[in-house]
Amino acid sequence: MANATGNVLIGQSGGPTAVINQSLIGIVEQAVANPAMGRVFGAVHGVRGILDDDLIDLGAESRETLEAVANTPCAALRSVRKKPTRGEGEKVLAAFERHDIRYFFYIGGNDSAETAHLLNELAVEKGYDVKLFHVPKTIDNDLRVTDHCPGYGSAARFVAQAFMGDNQDNRSLPGIKVDVVMGRNAGWLTASSALARQFSDDGPHLIYMPERDFDLERFAGDVDRVYSDLGRCLIAVSEGIHGPGGELIFKTDEVDSHGNAQLSGSGALGDFLAGAIKQRLGSSLRVRADTFGYLQRSFAGLVSEVDAAEAREVGRTAVRVATDGEHQHGTVVIRRTSQEPYEVAYEVAALSDVAKNTRDLPEEFLLGDNDVSPAFLDYALPLVGKLPRMGRLTDRSIG
Amino acid sequence: MANATGNVLIGQSGGPTAVINQSLIGIVEQAVANPAMGRVFGAVHGVRGILDDDLIDLGAESRETLEAVANTPCAALRSVRKKPTRGEGEKVLAAFERHDIRYFFYIGGNDSAETAHLLNELAVEKGYDVKLFHVPKTIDNDLRVTDHCPGYGSAARFVAQAFMGDNQDNRSLPGIKVDVVMGRNAGWLTASSALARQFSDDGPHLIYMPERDFDLERFAGDVDRVYSDLGRCLIAVSEGIHGPGGELIFKTDEVDSHGNAQLSGSGALGDFLAGAIKQRLGSSLRVRADTFGYLQRSFAGLVSEVDAAEAREVGRTAVRVATDGEHQHGTVVIRRTSQEPYEVAYEVAALSDVAKNTRDLPEEFLLGDNDVSPAFLDYALPLVGKLPRMGRLTDRSIG
């Protein structure tokens, strides 16, 4: 440690993903091996742990524990939804100074990038030398600049397998089924439901994403058309659907310190939509709603292998760029360098480029008002990995 | 087919499971190979297909299709929730006669056993010679006589992995979380949430099953106690919880022709319980609810290997006993012949023994009002198979 220029601190923030610990362990293993880096600490519950001086010694963890943690969903360091005030930012910097933290890695979504950005501006202002890196994760896949976000592939895989099964369920016992998928601002995760389709009449038959304004009457008309045609209808709906003015179709009153409304952890939107269908198309119809909820981001034992490997590599890359002499701060982004075979490169972007704002599905990935395009499927499939194949009887007549 | 004594008809009925098609294919492969059996037909949507003469030729399916179907969740023949009236039962028998059906296999739960029982009584009365067998499936695991039911192990595996992940989620972002699990009459599936625990403070911390009367005030008190102790609380609740008079805590108005109320396909119970907690313990608490819904019974690409193998074998066994000269009708039951190593035998029981009534969790599998016993875990673990191991940081102080 003779050459170490300071200690390392890592935090996790925002909603969990199935592979967020891969990034954590990627950082730890790379930092422990880096002679420029001193001790490797973890902040329990992100910035809250820094403010409360609740730090743990990650360098003391065994190889075996680190590997087990890498394969465990959600934040092993525990997470937080907190945007520090300026006063809190100053306390964070004071803690950095106290523990000689010269490298800070914050694993999270766009809100976490914003926190890193804020801390960086404060550090520059105070003349405290610390390298600040955001390490991306989000099942929403709505960070800007990057081709895709670690965490998305595994959540998309869960959603695709869930719809694959629910399509069989809906075919077994026909009716109208609404499945509500996570995604506050953008429809990336809801769009992945389309990966479930294998036969021409497979659902989801309708996919509603926040990129299009939602209208209840048009929705009921769409459902009626599919149901009349197929005798069943499977629908994917993003929790973030909203009317033309941007007002959410359904929400609770709760907001976090970033100003985000609570959408998940309630079945209310699905039940509301199921009720709206019955009201418009007939109360004797078999209409059901499921809200996939936290299972999408936390389910144990189901990951996309590509996603897990990339999440690890994004963590390792952050440590490498933090000591390459070129970067003082930034976020790691993934660039798709080849589609066939699928290949990626890891690069650095500015914190300000990913902070705060989110990225919608581009127009080319949408099809009409309620579907995704083949281009989206090409984009998403390599991130999710090989999906199970569904079998179907040929239904030959007995003659 | 010179010796064939008649044709075979197979139907699937009731709620889907992840392995109900294993039983279907087990019957088909065994029936096709059995010289006493003629052609092998499938009824589309169970008894409804028989009434509508919607039969398909299962003997004409390729080996490859059958294998793919076996590994596909939900009813490949499509299902139905229908209790035939006496008049309909007579029409079913007329269809049997028309197609020379001498073997009928009905894959389903206790309602399907009841249908088979009803058809058998009618056949005896009319003097029509047909061998009628019920082939068990239910994620609820609430059939009588049998040690456990095909379909349960896979659903229990889903529930265990879901709680394993949600426990990590709840630890990452602490709060109170209610997860509603299927199980109309009995708590078998909800109980399997306990398989998720690996560390001493792991959730689910409270498990509510229909075997115990549910009381909202006591519930709120339990939650308050755990939350005060751990700073978080993960709760498993059966959709079938009810008060001391048997009245459900929450339900919709819909009922099927067996008189069962609609419980699933709505997030209402979870939202109701989350609201009740906030109301009693404080509206500023972070309380969330998820309802696992149809994912528990249909999720694609996630089965218990033991469950899949047993579901196949139960189907094969039904065909064997139908031609052993000893049995005219019955249901296949599983007997656990050894716990360590886990071994089972397949036997025949009377239709009347499993029809209609269900089986609760026995007292020895319950612990107090809101937990399961170690004996339950010993019972359930071999059915679910090896579960993923969760890693955890040792949280060593930085000294």
Side-chain angles (χ1 to χ4, degrees), chain A residues 332-394:
Chain A
V332 178
V333 295
I334 301 177
R335 191 159 58 84
R336 191 180 305 219
T337 52
S338 163
Q339 169 68 14
E340 191 64 47
Y342 170 78
E343 281 168 13
V344 298
Y346 301 89
E347 300 177 348
V348 188
L351 285 172
S352 56
D353 284 347
V354 299
K356 220 163 179 176
N357 293 314
T358 56
R359 178 185 60 149
D360 289 352
L361 277 164
E363 200 54 38
E364 78 215 62
F365 284 175
L366 296 166
L367 194 67
D369 280 341
N370 49 41
D371 208 346
V372 297
S373 69
F376 170 76
L377 300 177
D378 291 342
Y379 163 87
L381 208 49
L383 313 181
V384 165
K386 204 164 174 260
L387 290 164
R389 298 304 305 176
M390 298 289 94
R392 185 182 278 203
L393 297 170
T394 52

Side-chain angles (χ1 to χ4, degrees), chain A residues 30 53 68 83 111 236 245 251 270 363 395:
Chain A
Q30 202 74 15
D53 216 27
K83 177 179 173 177
D111 288 337
K251 60 161 184 157
E363 200 54 38
D395 284 3

Side-chain angles (χ1 to χ4, degrees), chain A residues 14-16 24-25 39 41-42 44-45 48 53 55-58 60-62 65-66 68-69 71-81 99 157-166 168-174 177 179 254 262 264-268 271 274 278 283-295 297-302 388-399, chain B residues 14-16 24-25 39 41-42 44-45 48 53 55-58 60-62 65-66 68-69 71-81 99 157-166 168-174 177 179 254 262 264-268 271 274 278 283-295 297-302 388-399:
Chain A
L24 168 65
I25 304 311
R39 298 181 67 190
F41 302 144
V44 177
H45 290 298
R48 212 178 74 204
D53 216 27
L55 308 187
I56 59 171
D57 188 358
L58 291 172
E61 298 290 352
S62 72
T65 297
L66 294 178
V69 165
N71 289 297
T72 299
C74 307
L77 282 174
R78 280 129 288 171
S79 193
V80 69
R81 289 196 188 279
H99 296 290
R157 186 177 183 84
F158 182 92
V159 169
Q161 290 186 214
F163 270 91
M164 214 172 264
D166 208 23
Q168 300 296 333
D169 199 308
N170 185 247
R171 197 170 169 259
S172 292
L173 289 170
K177 179 76 192 299
D179 286 332
E254 225 175 300
Q262 184 210 332
S264 301
S266 155
D271 290 350
K278 281 195 171 200
S283 61
S284 66
L285 284 174
R286 182 174 179 270
V287 187
R288 301 284 187 272
D290 276 330
T291 302
F292 290 175
Y294 291 2
L295 274 58
R297 68 185 195 188
S298 70
F299 197 81
L302 187 93
R389 298 304 305 176
M390 298 289 94
R392 185 182 278 203
L393 297 170
T394 52
D395 284 3
R396 221 158 303 185
S397 152
I398 66 168
Chain B
L24 168 65
I25 303 311
R39 298 181 65 190
F41 302 145
V44 177
H45 289 298
R48 212 178 74 204
D53 217 26
L55 308 186
I56 59 173
D57 189 356
L58 290 173
E61 297 291 352
S62 71
T65 296
L66 294 177
V69 165
N71 289 297
T72 299
C74 307
L77 282 174
R78 280 129 289 174
S79 192
V80 69
R81 290 197 187 279
H99 296 290
R157 186 176 183 83
F158 182 92
V159 170
Q161 291 186 213
F163 270 91
M164 214 172 265
D166 208 22
Q168 299 296 334
D169 199 309
N170 185 246
R171 198 171 168 258
S172 292
L173 289 170
K177 179 76 193 300
D179 286 332
E254 227 175 297
Q262 181 211 333
S264 301
S266 156
D271 290 350
K278 281 195 170 203
S283 61
S284 66
L285 284 173
R286 182 174 180 269
V287 187
R288 303 284 186 271
D290 277 328
T291 302
F292 291 175
Y294 291 1
L295 273 59
R297 68 186 195 188
S298 70
F299 197 81
L302 187 94
R389 298 304 302 176
M390 297 291 95
R392 183 183 279 204
L393 296 170
T394 52
D395 285 0
R396 220 158 304 183
S397 153
I398 66 168

Side-chain angles (χ1 to χ4, degrees), chain A residues 193-214:
Chain A
S193 63
L195 297 169
R197 297 176 187 147
Q198 292 178 3
F199 293 89
S200 62
D201 62 352
D202 276 349
H205 306 105
L206 299 167
I207 306 176
Y208 297 94
M209 296 156 285
E211 283 76 5
R212 298 279 192 248
D213 293 337
F214 187 85

Side-chain angles (χ1 to χ4, degrees), chain B residues 2-69:
Chain B
N3 301 319
T5 54
N7 296 324
V8 175
L9 182 62
I10 312 168
Q12 291 175 307
S13 178
T17 82
V19 298
I20 185 172
N21 288 332
Q22 291 282 1
S23 297
L24 168 65
I25 303 311
I27 299 169
V28 173
E29 61 184 3
Q30 201 75 14
V32 164
N34 192 318
M37 294 175 167
R39 298 181 65 190
V40 181
F41 302 145
V44 177
H45 289 298
V47 286
R48 212 178 74 204
I50 309 176
L51 293 170
D52 297 347
D53 217 26
D54 190 2
L55 308 186
I56 59 173
D57 189 356
L58 290 173
E61 297 291 352
S62 71
R63 184 75 237 161
E64 195 189 354
T65 296
L66 294 177
E67 246 349 288
V69 165

